[in-house]
């Protein structure tokens, strides 16, 4: 299977200007080709084929207006066209219904103000990891890499990215063989929600780490600071850069957290099940939905590829019918619950249930995983309002009458 390995690049000033040129050229090639296809479409002419676009690029390089395109790697420009072609294919597939999921729009023009600039070098470009650890990029130079872990095999391509905080990364695509772990005894259902990052069918509740929540709060304050400054002013620019850097740090910390958690879940369990997309409870918060959705999607994607990598079972089940309303012990649908309820009793079998854990058990059940519903069952005593994230599960599995 193919995986991406990402590393920070220590870009020197001379690399910086060469990369800026390459980003700019790739952008111009992309935009020229997009404009050509759009005007052909508006003139009622046939769709310009990929091969035709490529031929036009070769011709353009010979004109005085575009001669400077020869100053960057030809592969980088061809890959910019490949990105455009992929964008169109996804758009057409989405129109015809061949592509599932949310609607994909037509490709859009790239801007120098885009938060993320990227170029791709394939094997044809002869990029190389040198014995001294530097990354040799054609027409850019030998760029030092922070090797946070070794590359498992020879990469087939590398994408060089500049993010909104001005940091540079190399993202290598490498092929790796799956290495199944020894069989694990446990299986688990996972409920993703807002009160906790994840709740497991065995009763474990996992909150985002405290440092992360603090960093998120801090970031929000800084963002407010930016909006109080006059747009375009020197101070505004400074504050905005500061926020971009803080944002990048928080995003990194979030990703680390998801990596650690997904690795642990895959290592400890023979099978994991998650609900398609957890949007439960979103309606009742003002939290940025997109942030959470993106975070969950990334987390689920990590679980999926790690399951493949380590020979585990991965189940993504469709959106459940209000899973919190079904008793995980006797599977009776028990009707809606007040939002704030911390514990409820099934009217059918009498089990006392923690709604979050109950939902996680239902996810496991829907995937056909044999988990006990006992983790979801709690003491019937009134549960005080929770200040901490500790679980409310009882030590022994209570079988209610
Ligand atoms: Zn029940």
């Amino acid at each position: 299977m193919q995986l991406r390995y990402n590393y920070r690049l220590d870009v020197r000033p001379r690399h910086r200007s060469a990369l800026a040129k390459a980003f700019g050229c790739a952008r111009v090639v992309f935009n020229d080709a997009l404009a050509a296809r759009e005007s052909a479409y508006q003139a009622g002419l046939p769709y310009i084929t990929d091969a035709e676009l490529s031929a036009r690029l070769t011709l353009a390089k010979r004109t005085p207006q575009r001669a400077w395109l020869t100053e960057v790697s030809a592969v980088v420009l061809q890959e910019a066209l490949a990105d455009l072609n992929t964008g169109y294919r996804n758009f057409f597939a989405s129109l015809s219904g061949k592509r599932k999921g949310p609607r994909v729009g037509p490709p859009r023009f790239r801007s120098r103000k885009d938060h993320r600039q990227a170029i791709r070098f394939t094997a044809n470009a002869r990029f190389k990891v040198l014995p001294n650890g530097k990354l040799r990029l054609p027409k850019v130079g030998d760029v030092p890499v922070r090797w946070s872990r070794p590359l498992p095999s020879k990469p087939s391509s590398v994408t060089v990215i500049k993010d909104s905080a001005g940091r540079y990364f190399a993202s290598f695509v490498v092929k790796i063989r799956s290495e199944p772990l020894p069989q694990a005894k446990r299986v688990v259902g996972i409920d993703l929600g807002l009160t906790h990052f994840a709740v497991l069918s065995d009763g474990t509740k996992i909150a985002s780490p405290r440092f992360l929540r603090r960093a998120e709060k801090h970031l929000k304050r800084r963002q407010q600071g930016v909006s109080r400054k006059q747009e375009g002013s020197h101070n505004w620019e400074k504050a905005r850069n500061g926020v971009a850097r803080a944002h990048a740090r928080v995003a990194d910390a979030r990703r680390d957290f998801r990596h650690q958690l997904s690795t642990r879940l895959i290592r400890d369990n023979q099978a994991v099940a998650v609900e398609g997309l957890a949007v439960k409870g979103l309606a009742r918060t003002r939290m940025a939905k997109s942030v959470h959705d993106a975070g969950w999607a990334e987390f689920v994607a990590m679980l999926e590829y790690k399951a493949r990598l380590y020979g585990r079972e991965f189940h993504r089940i469709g959106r459940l019918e209000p899973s919190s309303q079904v008793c995980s012990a006797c599977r009776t649908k028990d009707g809606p619950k007040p939002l704030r309820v911390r514990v409820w009793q099934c009217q059918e079998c009498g089990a006392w249930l923690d709604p979050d854990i109950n939902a996680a058990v239902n996810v496991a059940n829907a995937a056909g995983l044999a988990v006990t519903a006992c983790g979801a069952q709690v003491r019937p005593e009134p549960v005080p309002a929770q200040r901490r994230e500790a679980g409310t599960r009882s030590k022994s599995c209570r079988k209610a009458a």
Side-chain angles (χ1 to χ4, degrees):
M1 61 189 289
Q2 292 199 321
L3 281 184
R4 286 194 169 277
Y5 275 61
N6 302 322
Y7 304 91
R8 186 83 180 267
L9 292 174
D10 284 321
V11 169
R12 307 280 183 252
R14 62 176 186 281
H15 303 136
R16 212 175 287 263
S17 54
L19 283 170
K21 194 184 279 177
F23 291 138
C25 288
R27 189 168 60 233
V28 165
V29 166
F30 183 95
N31 288 345
D32 280 356
L34 176 53
R37 276 195 178 143
E38 285 199 342
S39 56
Y41 176 73
Q42 271 148 23
L45 296 170
Y47 180 73
I48 303 173
T49 64
D50 299 359
E52 171 65 20
L53 279 187
S54 178
R56 287 189 189 193
L57 171 59
T58 311
L59 288 178
K61 285 189 196 169
R62 295 188 197 136
T63 66
Q65 294 82 27
R66 292 282 184 261
W68 39 269
L69 289 178
T70 55
E71 290 172 31
V72 305
S73 163
V75 169
V76 162
L77 307 182
Q78 287 297 340
E79 290 302 302
L81 287 185
D83 285 348
L84 180 72
N85 297 335
T86 306
Y88 267 104
R89 269 196 295 280
N90 290 342
F91 170 52
F92 293 143
S94 182
L95 275 185
S96 68
K98 261 185 228 152
R99 186 190 164 96
K100 302 276 168 275
R103 258 293 166 80
V104 178
R108 276 185 295 199
F109 287 97
R110 289 180 178 173
S111 158
R112 69 170 72 233
K113 286 183 178 155
D114 286 346
H115 287 316
R116 184 179 179 276
Q117 307 276 342
I119 45 171
R120 188 165 60 245
F121 297 84
T122 61
N124 286 338
R126 300 205 170 80
F127 75 88
K128 208 171 175 182
V129 177
L130 301 173
N132 65 7
K134 290 183 180 175
L135 172 63
R136 175 163 291 169
L137 297 171
K139 303 209 178 174
V140 175
D142 297 348
V143 187
V145 182
R146 294 189 203 169
W147 295 106
S148 43
R149 53 178 174 164
L151 274 176
S153 64
K154 197 171 179 289
S156 59
S157 77
V158 60
T159 302
V160 177
I161 300 153
K162 184 187 178 198
D163 75 3
S164 58
R167 304 177 307 173
Y168 292 80
F169 297 90
S171 176
F172 295 93
V173 172
V174 290
K175 211 177 228 155
I176 58 173
R177 261 183 301 184
S178 87
E179 29 190 316
L181 291 169
Q183 193 92 2
K185 285 199 185 70
R186 295 146 57 98
V187 293
V188 73
I190 305 166
D191 180 62
L192 301 170
L194 282 179
T195 48
H196 295 82
F197 180 80
V199 176
L200 310 184
S201 53
D202 69 1
T204 312
K205 296 183 174 186
I206 299 155
S208 295
R210 190 183 295 266
F211 77 87
L212 193 49
R213 279 174 288 155
R214 213 165 39 212
E216 279 164 348
K217 223 178 263 172
H218 180 69
L219 181 61
K220 209 167 157 192
R221 264 204 306 277
R222 290 185 71 162
Q223 266 159 347
Q224 287 160 352
V226 175
S227 59
R228 275 197 294 271
K229 296 196 168 51
Q230 197 188 344
E231 198 172 325
S233 71
H234 177 67
N235 277 336
W236 176 80
E237 194 68 45
K238 236 173 80 181
R240 208 184 55 156
N241 283 338
V243 166
R245 277 195 303 275
H247 207 102
R249 274 196 302 273
V250 170
D252 288 352
R254 274 194 201 117
R255 180 158 305 125
D256 284 349
F257 165 67
R258 287 178 208 130
H259 261 306
Q260 283 167 16
L261 180 59
S262 55
T263 298
R264 200 181 85 206
L265 288 170
I266 291 296
R267 199 190 49 214
D268 293 350
N269 295 283
Q270 189 59 28
V272 298
V274 286
E275 202 171 341
L277 231 199
V279 284
K280 188 170 38 124
L282 276 175
R284 63 183 141 125
T285 86
R286 288 165 179 274
M287 279 199 240
K289 180 178 180 302
S290 57
V291 169
H292 285 280
D293 280 354
W296 283 323
E298 193 191 30
F299 178 68
V300 171
M302 284 175 178
L303 286 174
E304 189 167 14
Y305 88 71
K306 286 175 186 180
R308 270 180 67 195
L309 188 57
Y310 297 118
R312 300 303 203 209
E313 255 177 69
F314 172 83
H315 301 270
R316 190 203 307 258
I317 57 164
R319 284 286 318 278
L320 286 179
E321 243 210 292
S323 50
S324 54
Q325 298 177 16
V326 175
C327 168
S328 59
C330 70
R331 316 225 176 158
T332 306
K333 188 172 169 191
D334 202 47
K337 306 282 166 303
L339 290 173
R340 290 279 163 220
V341 72
R342 298 309 309 149
V343 58
W344 58 278
Q345 186 180 28
C346 173
Q347 294 310 303
E348 190 65 31
C349 71
W352 288 87
L353 299 152
D354 174 303
D356 295 328
I357 305 170
N358 182 57
V361 174
N362 283 329
V363 168
N365 287 340
L369 302 183
V371 297
T372 72
C374 120
Q377 295 180 36
V378 294
R379 293 176 192 285
E381 291 93 288
V383 179
Q386 294 277 302
R387 292 290 307 170
R388 299 183 44 227
E389 275 83 16
T392 52
R393 72 189 272 233
S394 56
K395 283 275 180 286
S396 63
C397 187
R398 296 174 63 97
K399 186 81 191 134

